[in-house]
Amino acid sequence: MNPIQTHMPTTARNTATLDTVAYAVGQSAIGKILAARSAIGVCAILIGSDAEALEQDLADRFPGKVLVEDEAALRGDLAAIARFIETPGAGLGLPLDMRNGTPFQQRVWEVLRAIPCGATITYTALARRLGRPNGARAVATACAANAIALGIPCHRVVRADGTLSGYRWGIERKRALLDKEAAI
């Protein structure tokens, strides 16, 4: 069953802007990327190996939204994401819609966005910055809930000993992203 809806009833068109998420799938140096945009900004950047799995992940993250594949509208976003993966020092430069999270998750994501390219932070240090010195596990959970890979750079969070830990998009992708950033 395809989770993506491409047609909407006439009565729903008036609220389509608020209830619609446009998306497109492209290719990057680290695999397939799915970019999705609401009326506010980019609400998802998903990374994987299979376009259908990425589409299903998007549908799971945005239940009740009308998902519309629109490659033409997202061509620029996909190009910006692929460019960022290759040259992270240039920045991503896309407006983000981070409303799809709890207030705590949104606070974690805001702090993550302030971490400079090429730098890392530990889960514990991030929890301390948020005023929750014992909240490393909650921070890790917020990172795992992040739907905007790269825009919210969860890949910059490491274990207390500096080693890489789990990354929703795969540990090898995390390593590749950090290696690219370290080369700046």
Side-chain angles (χ1 to χ4, degrees):
M1 182 172 99
N2 185 353
I4 309 305
Q5 300 174 1
T6 56
H7 302 285
M8 66 184 99
T10 305
T11 57
R13 288 191 183 131
N14 295 339
T15 59
T17 302
L18 297 175
D19 294 332
T20 300
V21 172
Y23 77 94
V25 178
Q27 189 64 41
S28 77
I30 60 171
K32 294 201 180 296
I33 49 175
L34 181 148
R37 186 180 272 270
S38 71
I40 292 172
V42 174
C43 56
I45 299 173
L46 309 177
I47 307 168
S49 301
D50 179 70
E52 287 182 18
L54 292 174
E55 290 173 348
Q56 183 61 56
D57 188 10
L58 182 68
D60 293 345
R61 289 173 181 272
F62 293 93
K65 297 289 185 184
V66 176
L67 304 177
V68 179
E69 188 168 8
D70 191 344
E71 196 275 331
L74 286 137
R75 188 173 294 131
D77 291 351
L78 288 170
I81 294 163
R83 196 169 36 253
F84 176 79
I85 291 168
E86 287 297 320
T87 55
L92 191 55
L94 295 172
L96 302 183
D97 177 356
M98 301 189 308
R99 298 173 300 159
N100 198 37
T102 67
F104 177 74
Q105 289 169 340
Q106 291 174 14
R107 284 182 49 222
V108 170
W109 300 341
E110 283 295 339
V111 172
L112 285 169
R113 293 188 67 215
I115 299 169
C117 182
T120 59
I121 189 169
T122 66
Y123 291 98
T124 303
L126 185 54
R128 283 191 197 117
R129 273 196 199 173
L130 291 161
R132 298 191 52 184
N134 297 319
R137 205 169 276 217
V139 164
T141 301
C143 287
N146 172 24
I148 310 174
L150 311 172
I152 301 171
C154 290
H155 63 277
R156 295 180 185 151
V157 185
V158 297
R159 288 186 177 137
D161 65 3
T163 60
L164 301 186
S165 58
Y167 183 55
R168 178 162 180 46
W169 319 111
I171 198 80
E172 289 307 315
R173 286 187 179 103
K174 182 174 188 168
R175 181 174 287 111
L177 291 167
L178 291 174
D179 288 349
K180 276 277 191 192
E181 290 184 6
I184 295 174

